């Protein structure tokens, strides 16, 4: 809470006699840019630091070597992506086979176990169990909204507003706005009113169907997004193909000269092809042929991944 942050700041200045420190004064004036308490209204998926970047750097160090050339970098990076995709496949398969263990058999936790992924369910269950240690005091109604004060032995209170008409819930703790799940204060305040999580408080990104969900956009927006996806997909396919060509052509001078000559000729021919903004029937046919080529290349490129997955599964023992 903001008052806790301000009190802790004043205590720090007094403890170390830093009231006249100019750098800290400037830092305090810009506190809304860095203090976590002022970012509770912004969704950050509960990431309070640079842990995402640090985790990616740690993963990359297991695959990359700074003395390698750029071609080897792409080869090792592709291996990293394949391993991460395989781990995702394993996690998704495991998620479809079992439901998480429910510590307290209550309807809202049973509902959460069916909609949330296992890791997000553990976060939600932890919030629910923590909420059981708080006390609730009704503060009266304002229209259809019901006000509650949630507190425990610590000198801290949180205020929850619940409207049973549309099942809207707001809490001064701002857990849902920051993480995307309801906090324990909201759950304990509505423990006898809600049997399952309201649909508006179930983020699609935390659900079991997140990978298969599609964004609902307008027709114009959808066509624009599809066009961007097509460009990105073709770019990725060509990039992977050219990386493989470069890796093989660089092994000998003769192969290099041939690849270099063909690449210059290819670039010249592509630059002479006029760009068509509006697609006619012929361009649609060409686009469909291009999509077929992309799919064929992706299918050929995915054979190695599928075979690798099969080999890993065959080596496993037990069930």
């Amino acid at each position: 809470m903001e008052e806790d942050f301000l009190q802790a700041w004043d205590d720090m200045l007094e403890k170390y006699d830093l009231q006249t420190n100019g750098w800290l004064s400037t830092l305090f004036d810009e506190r809304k840019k860095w203090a976590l308490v002022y970012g509770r209204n912004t969704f950050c998926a509960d990431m309070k630091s640079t842990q995402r970047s640090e985790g990616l750097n740690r993963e990359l160090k297991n695959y990359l070597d700074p003395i390698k050339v750029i071609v080897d970098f792409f080869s090792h990076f592709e291996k990293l992506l394949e391993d991460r995709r395989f781990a995702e496949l394993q996690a998704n398969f495991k998620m479809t086979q079992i439901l998480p263990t429910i510590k307290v058999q209550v309807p809202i936790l049973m509902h959460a176990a069916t909609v949330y992924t296992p890791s997000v369910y553990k976060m939600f269950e932890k919030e629910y169990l923590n909420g059981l240690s708080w006390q609730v005091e009704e503060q009266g109604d304002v229209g259809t909204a019901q006000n509650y004060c949630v507190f425990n032995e610590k000198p801290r209170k949180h205020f929850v507003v619940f409207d049973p008409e549309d099942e809207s819930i707001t809490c001064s703790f701002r857990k849902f706005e920051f993480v995307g799940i309801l906090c324990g204060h909201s759950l304990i305040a509505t423990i006898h009113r809600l049997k399952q999580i309201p649909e508006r408080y179930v983020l699609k990104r935390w659900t079991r169907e997140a990978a298969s969900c599609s964004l609902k956009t307008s027709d114009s927006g959808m066509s624009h997004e599809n066009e961007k996806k097509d460009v990105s997909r073709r770019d990725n396919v060509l990039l992977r193909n050219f990386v493989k060509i470069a890796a093989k052509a660089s092994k000998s001078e003769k192969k290099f000269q041939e690849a270099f000559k063909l690449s210059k000729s290819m670039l010249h021919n592509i630059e002479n092809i006029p760009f068509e903004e509006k697609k006619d029937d012929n361009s649609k046919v060409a686009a469909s042929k291009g999509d077929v080529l992309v799919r064929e290349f992706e299918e050929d490129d995915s054979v190695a991944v599928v075979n690798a997955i099969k080999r890993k599964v065959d080596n496993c023992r037990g069930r």
Side-chain angles (χ1 to χ4, degrees):
M1 304 299 291
E2 184 177 7
E3 56 268 21
D4 298 330
F5 168 76
L6 296 176
Q7 183 62 45
W9 184 271
D10 292 337
D11 294 342
M12 180 191 68
L13 297 181
E14 183 177 356
K15 179 178 180 180
Y16 299 101
D17 193 20
L18 296 171
Q19 290 85 348
T20 59
N21 187 284
W23 181 78
L24 286 177
S25 299
T26 303
L27 192 65
F28 182 76
D29 293 337
E30 299 180 354
R31 60 189 180 279
K32 292 187 178 180
K33 296 181 180 180
W34 58 267
L36 181 62
V37 65
Y38 298 104
R40 299 293 293 183
N41 290 324
T42 303
F43 178 76
C44 295
D46 201 28
M47 305 201 67
K48 307 179 182 67
S49 64
T50 58
Q51 63 191 74
R52 182 179 181 87
S53 176
E54 293 168 358
L56 179 59
N57 291 339
R58 184 172 59 253
E59 288 289 333
L60 287 173
K61 288 180 180 178
N62 296 329
Y63 292 82
L64 304 180
D65 190 337
I67 65 174
K68 297 294 184 182
V69 297
I70 190 66
V71 176
D72 293 330
F73 166 80
F74 281 110
S75 299
H76 287 80
F77 187 74
E78 286 287 339
K79 182 65 171 66
L80 168 63
L81 294 181
E82 290 178 7
D83 291 346
R84 295 300 293 266
R85 289 169 183 148
F86 178 73
E88 184 180 2
L89 287 175
Q90 286 183 313
N92 288 336
F93 176 77
K94 183 178 179 180
M95 180 181 63
T96 59
Q97 300 303 306
I98 58 174
L99 289 175
T101 303
I102 303 175
K103 295 182 179 180
V104 182
Q105 296 292 328
V106 293
I108 195 168
L109 286 184
M110 297 171 66
H111 175 246
T114 60
V115 297
Y116 283 141
T117 61
S119 58
V120 178
Y121 170 76
K122 291 181 180 178
M123 295 170 55
F124 184 85
E125 184 182 58
K126 181 180 179 181
E127 283 295 322
Y128 182 88
L129 296 178
N130 289 339
L132 297 178
S133 62
W134 292 74
Q135 301 180 43
V136 181
E137 182 181 286
E138 294 188 11
Q139 298 287 308
D141 301 341
V142 179
T144 59
Q146 301 170 355
N147 298 321
Y148 301 94
C149 176
V150 184
F151 58 94
N152 59 7
E153 65 277 2
K154 298 180 181 180
R156 179 179 298 173
K157 295 182 179 180
H158 296 286
F159 299 94
V160 179
V161 180
F162 172 63
D163 193 338
E165 280 196 355
D166 57 359
E167 294 186 332
S168 62
I169 306 172
T170 58
C171 179
S172 59
F173 189 61
R174 304 288 183 183
K175 181 80 173 183
F176 178 78
E177 289 80 359
F178 186 73
V179 181
I181 60 173
L182 291 174
C183 61
H185 319 105
S186 301
L187 295 174
I188 191 62
T190 59
I191 191 170
H192 299 298
R193 307 299 303 270
L194 296 178
K195 300 301 181 185
Q196 63 180 22
I197 308 171
E199 185 177 356
R200 65 167 67 184
Y201 297 110
V202 180
L203 295 187
K204 297 297 183 183
R205 67 184 302 140
W206 297 147
T207 62
R208 293 169 170 262
E209 291 78 21
S212 59
C213 288
S214 58
L215 298 177
K216 296 180 180 180
T217 57
S218 60
D219 294 339
S220 59
M222 181 63 73
S223 61
H224 182 66
E225 289 296 324
N226 289 338
E227 183 179 354
K228 291 174 62 178
K229 290 180 180 179
D230 290 340
V231 172
S232 177
R233 187 158 56 99
R234 290 191 291 265
D235 181 77
N236 290 333
V237 170
L238 289 174
L239 180 61
R240 281 184 289 173
N241 200 17
F242 288 141
V243 167
K244 293 179 180 179
I245 293 174
K248 294 182 179 181
S250 60
K251 293 181 179 180
S252 70
E253 183 64 27
K254 185 176 180 180
K255 292 182 178 180
F256 167 75
Q257 293 293 341
E258 182 67 16
F260 184 75
K261 181 177 64 175
L262 292 176
S263 64
K264 289 186 65 176
S265 175
M266 185 187 305
L267 181 61
H268 177 73
N269 294 336
I270 291 175
E271 289 177 344
N272 291 332
I273 298 176
F275 177 76
E276 299 179 359
E277 295 185 357
K278 294 184 179 180
K279 293 183 178 180
D280 52 13
D281 293 338
N282 294 331
S283 61
K284 289 181 179 179
V285 172
S288 64
K289 292 181 179 179
D291 291 337
V292 170
L293 292 175
V294 169
R295 285 195 297 270
E296 289 179 353
F297 181 83
E298 289 178 340
E299 290 173 358
D300 294 340
D301 196 50
S302 64
V303 171
V305 178
V306 173
N307 291 337
I309 293 177
K310 288 182 178 180
R311 286 197 296 271
K312 290 182 179 179
V313 172
D314 291 340
N315 290 333
C316 295
R317 295 182 177 179
R319 186 171 65 85

